[in-house]
Short mmCIF file of all heavy atoms in Angstrom, two decimals:
data_model
loop_
_atom_site.label_atom_id
_atom_site.label_comp_id
_atom_site.label_asym_id
_atom_site.label_seq_id
_atom_site.Cartn_x
_atom_site.Cartn_y
_atom_site.Cartn_z
N PHE A 1145 11.11 -46.55 8.70
CA PHE A 1145 11.65 -47.65 7.87
C PHE A 1145 10.55 -48.55 7.33
O PHE A 1145 10.70 -49.20 6.30
CB PHE A 1145 12.65 -48.49 8.67
CG PHE A 1145 13.94 -47.77 8.99
CD1 PHE A 1145 14.54 -47.93 10.23
CD2 PHE A 1145 14.57 -46.98 8.03
CE1 PHE A 1145 15.73 -47.25 10.54
CE2 PHE A 1145 15.78 -46.34 8.33
CZ PHE A 1145 16.36 -46.47 9.58
N ASP A 1149 9.26 -50.21 1.89
CA ASP A 1149 8.64 -51.14 0.94
C ASP A 1149 7.74 -50.39 -0.06
O ASP A 1149 7.85 -50.58 -1.26
CB ASP A 1149 7.70 -52.11 1.72
CG ASP A 1149 8.22 -53.54 1.66
OD1 ASP A 1149 9.03 -53.81 0.77
OD2 ASP A 1149 7.80 -54.36 2.49
N ARG A 1152 9.81 -48.14 -2.40
CA ARG A 1152 10.45 -48.95 -3.48
C ARG A 1152 9.42 -49.32 -4.54
O ARG A 1152 9.71 -49.28 -5.75
CB ARG A 1152 11.11 -50.20 -2.92
CG ARG A 1152 12.42 -49.94 -2.16
CD ARG A 1152 13.19 -51.23 -1.95
NE ARG A 1152 12.41 -52.25 -1.26
CZ ARG A 1152 12.38 -52.41 0.05
NH1 ARG A 1152 13.12 -51.65 0.85
NH2 ARG A 1152 11.64 -53.37 0.61
N SER A 1166 14.89 -54.90 -15.81
CA SER A 1166 14.68 -55.34 -14.42
C SER A 1166 15.92 -55.02 -13.56
O SER A 1166 15.82 -54.70 -12.39
CB SER A 1166 14.32 -56.80 -14.36
OG SER A 1166 15.40 -57.58 -14.75
N TYR A 1170 15.76 -52.51 -10.31
CA TYR A 1170 16.32 -52.88 -9.00
C TYR A 1170 17.30 -51.81 -8.51
O TYR A 1170 17.27 -51.41 -7.36
CB TYR A 1170 17.01 -54.26 -9.11
CG TYR A 1170 17.41 -54.83 -7.76
CD1 TYR A 1170 16.56 -55.65 -7.05
CD2 TYR A 1170 18.65 -54.51 -7.18
CE1 TYR A 1170 16.92 -56.18 -5.82
CE2 TYR A 1170 19.02 -55.03 -5.95
CZ TYR A 1170 18.15 -55.85 -5.27
OH TYR A 1170 18.52 -56.37 -4.05
N ASP A 1177 15.91 -46.44 -1.82
CA ASP A 1177 15.85 -47.01 -0.46
C ASP A 1177 17.05 -46.48 0.37
O ASP A 1177 16.84 -45.99 1.48
CB ASP A 1177 15.90 -48.55 -0.57
CG ASP A 1177 16.05 -49.26 0.77
OD1 ASP A 1177 16.67 -48.71 1.69
OD2 ASP A 1177 15.54 -50.39 0.88
N GLU A 1178 18.24 -46.53 -0.20
CA GLU A 1178 19.41 -46.06 0.53
C GLU A 1178 19.31 -44.58 0.90
O GLU A 1178 19.64 -44.18 2.01
CB GLU A 1178 20.70 -46.29 -0.29
CG GLU A 1178 21.00 -47.77 -0.62
CD GLU A 1178 21.38 -48.60 0.60
OE1 GLU A 1178 21.57 -48.04 1.70
OE2 GLU A 1178 21.47 -49.85 0.42
N SER A 1181 16.56 -44.23 3.56
CA SER A 1181 17.05 -44.78 4.86
C SER A 1181 17.98 -43.77 5.52
O SER A 1181 17.91 -43.56 6.74
CB SER A 1181 17.85 -46.08 4.61
OG SER A 1181 16.98 -47.11 4.18
N ARG A 1230 39.97 -55.44 0.85
CA ARG A 1230 39.66 -56.85 0.94
C ARG A 1230 39.80 -57.36 2.39
O ARG A 1230 39.34 -58.43 2.70
CB ARG A 1230 40.64 -57.66 0.08
CG ARG A 1230 40.37 -57.61 -1.37
CD ARG A 1230 41.60 -58.01 -2.15
NE ARG A 1230 41.35 -57.93 -3.57
CZ ARG A 1230 41.23 -58.96 -4.37
NH1 ARG A 1230 41.35 -60.20 -3.90
NH2 ARG A 1230 40.98 -58.81 -5.63
N LEU A 1232 38.98 -57.87 5.90
CA LEU A 1232 37.72 -57.87 6.65
C LEU A 1232 37.73 -56.89 7.83
O LEU A 1232 36.77 -56.21 8.10
CB LEU A 1232 37.43 -59.31 7.14
CG LEU A 1232 36.08 -59.62 7.71
CD1 LEU A 1232 35.00 -59.39 6.70
CD2 LEU A 1232 36.06 -61.10 8.16
N ARG A 1235 37.30 -53.19 6.78
CA ARG A 1235 36.07 -52.77 6.13
C ARG A 1235 35.21 -51.98 7.10
O ARG A 1235 35.10 -52.31 8.25
CB ARG A 1235 35.27 -54.00 5.68
CG ARG A 1235 35.88 -54.69 4.50
CD ARG A 1235 35.88 -53.80 3.28
NE ARG A 1235 34.53 -53.52 2.86
CZ ARG A 1235 34.00 -53.92 1.70
NH1 ARG A 1235 34.71 -54.58 0.84
NH2 ARG A 1235 32.78 -53.59 1.39
N VAL A 1237 31.54 -50.08 8.14
CA VAL A 1237 30.11 -50.33 7.92
C VAL A 1237 29.35 -49.07 7.49
O VAL A 1237 28.34 -49.15 6.86
CB VAL A 1237 29.42 -50.93 9.19
CG1 VAL A 1237 29.91 -52.32 9.44
CG2 VAL A 1237 29.66 -50.04 10.40
N TYR A 1243 27.71 -44.62 -1.05
CA TYR A 1243 28.59 -45.15 -2.10
C TYR A 1243 27.77 -45.87 -3.18
O TYR A 1243 27.95 -45.67 -4.38
CB TYR A 1243 29.62 -46.08 -1.49
CG TYR A 1243 30.52 -46.75 -2.47
CD1 TYR A 1243 31.57 -46.06 -3.08
CD2 TYR A 1243 30.36 -48.11 -2.82
CE1 TYR A 1243 32.40 -46.67 -4.01
CE2 TYR A 1243 31.16 -48.72 -3.73
CZ TYR A 1243 32.21 -48.01 -4.32
OH TYR A 1243 33.01 -48.61 -5.24
N ARG B 404 12.47 -59.77 1.79
CA ARG B 404 13.21 -58.50 1.61
C ARG B 404 13.92 -58.09 2.89
O ARG B 404 13.32 -58.06 3.96
CB ARG B 404 12.22 -57.42 1.17
CG ARG B 404 11.65 -57.65 -0.21
CD ARG B 404 10.66 -56.59 -0.58
NE ARG B 404 9.43 -56.67 0.21
CZ ARG B 404 8.37 -57.38 -0.15
NH1 ARG B 404 8.37 -58.05 -1.28
NH2 ARG B 404 7.32 -57.42 0.62
N ASP B 406 15.74 -54.90 4.37
CA ASP B 406 16.06 -53.46 4.28
C ASP B 406 16.28 -52.92 5.69
O ASP B 406 16.42 -53.70 6.64
CB ASP B 406 14.94 -52.70 3.53
CG ASP B 406 13.58 -52.81 4.20
OD1 ASP B 406 13.50 -53.26 5.35
OD2 ASP B 406 12.58 -52.41 3.56
N SER B 407 16.28 -51.58 5.84
CA SER B 407 16.53 -51.00 7.16
C SER B 407 15.47 -51.42 8.17
O SER B 407 15.73 -51.44 9.37
CB SER B 407 16.57 -49.48 7.09
OG SER B 407 17.61 -49.05 6.24
N TYR B 437 15.35 -59.12 -2.07
CA TYR B 437 15.92 -57.78 -2.02
C TYR B 437 16.81 -57.65 -0.81
O TYR B 437 16.50 -58.21 0.28
CB TYR B 437 14.77 -56.75 -1.93
CG TYR B 437 15.24 -55.35 -1.80
CD1 TYR B 437 15.57 -54.57 -2.90
CD2 TYR B 437 15.38 -54.74 -0.53
CE1 TYR B 437 16.03 -53.28 -2.78
CE2 TYR B 437 15.81 -53.45 -0.38
CZ TYR B 437 16.14 -52.71 -1.52
OH TYR B 437 16.59 -51.45 -1.39
N MET B 438 17.95 -56.94 -0.96
CA MET B 438 18.77 -56.67 0.23
C MET B 438 19.46 -55.30 0.03
O MET B 438 20.13 -55.09 -0.98
CB MET B 438 19.80 -57.76 0.48
CG MET B 438 20.54 -57.58 1.80
SD MET B 438 21.78 -58.88 2.13
CE MET B 438 20.81 -60.02 3.07
N SER B 440 21.93 -52.05 1.88
CA SER B 440 23.21 -52.03 2.60
C SER B 440 22.99 -52.34 4.10
O SER B 440 23.91 -52.75 4.77
CB SER B 440 23.91 -50.67 2.44
OG SER B 440 23.19 -49.65 3.07
N ARG B 444 25.44 -54.86 6.01
CA ARG B 444 26.15 -54.57 7.28
C ARG B 444 25.96 -55.72 8.25
O ARG B 444 26.92 -56.09 8.98
CB ARG B 444 25.64 -53.27 7.88
CG ARG B 444 26.17 -52.04 7.19
CD ARG B 444 25.97 -50.80 8.06
NE ARG B 444 24.61 -50.37 8.11
CZ ARG B 444 24.08 -49.53 7.21
NH1 ARG B 444 24.80 -49.05 6.25
NH2 ARG B 444 22.82 -49.15 7.32
N ARG B 451 32.77 -61.08 10.49
CA ARG B 451 33.88 -60.69 11.38
C ARG B 451 33.91 -61.62 12.59
O ARG B 451 34.95 -62.12 12.95
CB ARG B 451 33.69 -59.26 11.83
CG ARG B 451 34.48 -58.33 10.99
CD ARG B 451 34.56 -56.94 11.60
NE ARG B 451 35.00 -56.07 10.58
CZ ARG B 451 34.49 -54.87 10.27
NH1 ARG B 451 33.51 -54.42 11.00
NH2 ARG B 451 34.98 -54.17 9.29
N ARG B 469 20.36 -60.01 -9.05
CA ARG B 469 20.29 -58.61 -8.69
C ARG B 469 21.05 -58.34 -7.37
O ARG B 469 21.72 -57.33 -7.23
CB ARG B 469 18.84 -58.14 -8.54
CG ARG B 469 17.98 -58.29 -9.78
CD ARG B 469 18.33 -57.22 -10.82
NE ARG B 469 19.28 -57.73 -11.80
CZ ARG B 469 19.00 -58.28 -12.97
NH1 ARG B 469 17.75 -58.38 -13.35
NH2 ARG B 469 19.94 -58.70 -13.78
N ALA B 477 29.44 -53.25 -3.90
CA ALA B 477 29.87 -52.90 -2.55
C ALA B 477 31.19 -53.59 -2.16
O ALA B 477 31.69 -53.42 -1.09
CB ALA B 477 28.78 -53.28 -1.54
N GLY B 478 31.72 -54.38 -3.13
CA GLY B 478 32.97 -55.09 -2.89
C GLY B 478 32.83 -56.24 -1.89
O GLY B 478 33.80 -56.67 -1.28
N PHE B 479 31.61 -56.71 -1.71
CA PHE B 479 31.36 -57.77 -0.70
C PHE B 479 31.67 -59.17 -1.22
O PHE B 479 31.84 -60.09 -0.42
CB PHE B 479 29.92 -57.70 -0.23
CG PHE B 479 29.74 -56.86 1.00
CD1 PHE B 479 30.25 -55.55 1.02
CD2 PHE B 479 29.11 -57.34 2.13
CE1 PHE B 479 30.11 -54.78 2.14
CE2 PHE B 479 28.97 -56.58 3.26
CZ PHE B 479 29.44 -55.31 3.26
#
Side-chain angles (χ1 to χ4, degrees):
Chain A
F1145 291 139
D1149 246 342
R1152 286 195 304 269
S1166 66
Y1170 189 92
D1177 173 328
E1178 298 292 351
S1181 291
R1230 283 162 182 250
L1232 192 59
R1235 288 294 296 244
V1237 291
Y1243 176 75
Chain B
R404 293 178 290 270
D406 60 11
S407 298
Y437 177 85
M438 187 180 267
S440 68
R444 284 198 285 272
R451 264 192 194 133
R469 299 287 95 93
F479 267 52

